[in-house]
């Protein structure tokens, strides 16, 4: 079986990236992780990826100043060079410009720690607690130009417990993120043949 090649973009510890790498080891997983890129040189996930034998490096956003598109052109070139058919954002904490979003339309996914359309953006766990919600969760969606707005591919729900703080809730949701992301990505690559 030929596997879809996925490039993963991270900014930090990369636990979702690690979950994708782990899932991709299965013979019947329809994707493989071809490349990991970070916008930050100190992202811990880079070392994790390399330890798993995956090519991983940073394209430091600081080198491009305010020119976000120039930074993304480098990301895009590296993804194409690695022959990626899909891109998975995994804790990539920088809003994308229309350039990269359009370049990968329908083939770029994101994981977000809320039940979208609730709580796009940051501080999702605290916002769910502040609202008195009975449940929270995570969402995998296609990336479009509106932040955290694209078509939803999958969600996982987590009950909010009495006494939960943002940290406890985030940890429980993260467990679900690690299950949901590989499953949703596998489904996408099986539906939609990559074209570049
Ligand atoms: C994850 O919880 C992910 O859903 C979230 O950042 C965390 C990254 O953790 N992403 C966003 O908030 C994107 N808007 P990780 O680096 O361990 O995967």
């Amino acid at each position: 079986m030929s596997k879809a090649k996925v490039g993963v973009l991270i900014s930090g510890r990369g636990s979702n990236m690690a979950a994708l790498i782990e899932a991709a080891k299965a013979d019947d997983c329809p994707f493989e992780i071809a490349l990991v890129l970070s916008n930050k040189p100190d992202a811990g996930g880079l070392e994790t990826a390399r330890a798993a034998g995956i090519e991983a490096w940073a394209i430091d956003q600081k080198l491009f100043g305010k020119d976000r598109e120039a930074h993304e052109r480098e990301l895009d070139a590296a993804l194409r060079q690695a022959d990626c058919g899909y891109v998975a954002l995994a804790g990539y904490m920088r809003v994308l410009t229309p350039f990269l979003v359009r370049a990968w339309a329908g083939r770029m996914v994101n994981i977000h720690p809320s039940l979208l359309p609730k709580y796009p953006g940051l501080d999702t766990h605290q916002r769910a607690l502040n609202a008195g919600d009975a449940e929270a969760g995570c969402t995998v969606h296609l990336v479009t130009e509106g932040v955290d707005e694209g078509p939803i591919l999958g969600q996982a729900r987590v009950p909010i417990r009495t006494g939960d703080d943002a940290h406890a809730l985030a940890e429980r949701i993260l467990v679900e993120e690690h299950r949901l992301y590989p499953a949703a990505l596998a489904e996408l690559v099986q539906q939609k043949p990559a074209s570049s």
Side-chain angles (χ1 to χ4, degrees):
M1 180 181 68
S2 110
K3 296 191 175 206
K5 291 189 180 196
V6 177
V8 182
L9 302 189
I10 63 169
S11 298
R13 74 189 155 177
S15 72
N16 277 291
M17 169 211 76
L20 295 177
I21 290 172
E22 191 54 36
K25 288 181 184 164
D27 286 341
D28 61 351
C29 180
F31 62 82
E32 64 183 289
I33 306 304
L35 176 66
V36 172
L37 295 173
S38 170
N39 58 326
K40 303 203 167 187
D42 61 354
L46 289 173
E47 204 36 61
T48 309
R50 288 186 199 120
I54 295 185
E55 197 182 337
W57 76 87
I59 299 178
D60 188 351
Q61 67 182 52
K62 283 202 187 118
L63 302 177
F64 300 84
K66 290 196 172 139
D67 194 345
R68 287 156 60 217
E69 188 174 316
H71 176 246
E72 289 178 1
R73 286 190 184 280
E74 294 292 319
L75 294 173
D76 183 62
L79 291 163
R80 289 178 195 281
Q81 182 75 31
D83 203 22
C84 294
Y86 296 85
V87 178
L89 307 182
Y92 187 74
M93 301 308 276
R94 197 177 202 206
V95 174
L96 299 178
T97 76
F99 163 72
L100 203 66
V101 173
R102 288 177 192 164
W104 293 89
R107 298 181 296 134
M108 183 188 276
V109 290
N110 180 42
I111 186 149
H112 183 76
S114 79
L115 294 171
L116 290 172
K118 276 190 161 183
Y119 316 128
L122 299 175
D123 280 330
T124 53
H125 310 98
Q126 191 60 51
R127 286 156 69 201
L129 292 169
N130 293 350
D133 291 353
E135 60 176 9
C138 51
T139 302
V140 173
H141 65 95
L142 286 171
V143 176
T144 55
E145 289 180 37
V147 174
D148 301 326
E149 272 183 15
I152 290 173
L153 301 178
Q155 290 187 312
R157 310 178 101 80
V158 165
I160 294 183
R161 295 185 190 147
T162 312
D164 263 347
D165 61 11
H167 179 74
L169 183 57
E171 286 210 327
R172 285 213 317 286
I173 292 175
L174 196 62
V175 173
E176 296 305 322
E177 292 185 41
H178 296 165
R179 291 196 190 114
L180 176 68
Y181 210 178
L185 182 58
E187 205 168 306
L188 176 71
V189 308
Q190 280 171 313
Q191 289 170 5
K192 189 170 175 113
S195 62
S196 28

